[in-house]
Amino acid sequence: MRHNKNFNHLGRQAGHRKALMSNMASSLILHKRIETTVAKAKALKQFVEPLVTRSKEDTTHSRRVVFSYLKQKEAVTELFRTIAPKIADRPGGYTRILKTGFRLGDAADMCIIEFVDFNEAYTLGVVPAATVAEAKPKTRRSRKKSVTDAVEEATVVEEKKSKKASSAKPVAAKATGAKVANVKTNVGKKM
């Protein structure tokens, strides 16, 4: 008896169905969004979400397990490098299905399946903490300014202020109508 053993076979035999799910999951991981039928999207959601959960732990074993399902090195790399850090704090529900209508040829119910965290329209441009941490430059050098750099910057700022003050006086004299002789300007000179 086969009580409660029901999942969508998608009209395919086991080998064809596994290959279909592997290829669709790889496309979803690489492109972050694909368009397919609702039945295939629901089957793909059940297939890909455990793999995404597995990718949260970046170990050799988890990479090999995911590779045994996906069969594409690029998709595994993308999953562990890009997707896993972005969904690290999400407890599940990594994908969403958006129905788009019916296909023209056979009236199949079509939809878009996509990763939740990779759609800017729905996330309202909120950047997760993982990408903010990546934005900082990674360097071995100290980020503190040395005392000599601070002193040099202070003298440069003082010189600039004194130059601005001296150049403002002749302009004020011209405005009052007084004649000023030998006023040096930087007009026409290349800096």
Side-chain angles (χ1 to χ4, degrees):
M1 289 192 232
R2 53 177 307 276
H3 294 302
N4 291 331
K5 293 190 175 186
N6 52 353
F7 68 95
N8 198 343
H9 294 282
L10 300 173
R12 290 162 173 84
Q13 293 179 353
H16 188 185
R17 190 169 51 251
K18 287 178 186 174
L20 173 76
M21 288 295 115
S22 172
N23 288 334
M24 287 179 66
S26 297
S27 295
L28 178 65
I29 289 168
L30 292 174
H31 300 291
K32 312 298 185 277
R33 170 188 303 179
I34 58 172
E35 184 178 5
T36 184
T37 62
V38 173
K40 287 180 188 175
K42 288 179 180 178
L44 179 62
K45 187 171 188 165
Q46 288 180 342
F47 182 84
V48 82
E49 293 216 357
L51 300 180
V52 175
T53 303
R54 176 75 67 160
S55 73
K56 288 182 178 182
E57 184 182 352
D58 191 5
T59 61
T60 305
H61 177 66
S62 60
R63 281 182 180 260
R64 286 178 178 163
V65 169
V66 170
F67 182 75
S68 71
Y69 285 95
L70 294 181
K71 313 268 192 300
Q72 281 190 18
K73 193 190 311 184
E74 297 83 16
V76 174
T77 305
E78 180 77 11
L79 178 63
F80 279 87
R81 281 194 186 159
T82 325
I83 297 172
K86 206 162 185 179
I87 54 98
D89 56 343
R90 185 177 289 276
Y94 311 112
T95 57
R96 78 164 60 92
I97 295 174
L98 303 169
K99 294 184 179 180
T100 57
F102 299 99
R103 189 160 51 197
L104 201 58
D106 59 352
D109 201 7
M110 297 298 286
C111 70
I112 293 173
I113 182 169
E114 65 184 5
F115 281 109
V116 173
D117 292 321
F118 286 89
N119 188 341
E120 289 79 24
Y122 284 100
T123 57
L124 300 173
V126 176
V127 180
T131 56
V132 172
E134 290 175 8
K136 290 186 205 174
K138 295 176 182 169
T139 179
R140 291 185 183 190
R141 297 185 186 121
S142 173
R143 291 197 174 106
K144 298 178 185 176
K145 289 188 176 181
S146 64
V147 176
T148 57
D149 291 341
V151 170
E152 288 175 5
E153 286 183 17
T155 57
V156 170
V157 170
E158 288 176 9
E159 288 175 8
K160 286 182 181 178
K161 286 182 181 177
S162 64
K163 285 183 181 179
K164 286 182 182 177
S166 64
S167 64
K169 290 176 185 175
V171 173
K174 284 182 181 178
T176 59
K179 292 185 179 179
V180 178
N182 297 329
V183 176
K184 293 185 179 179
T185 60
N186 289 333
V187 177
K189 293 184 181 178
K190 292 185 180 177
M191 294 288 181

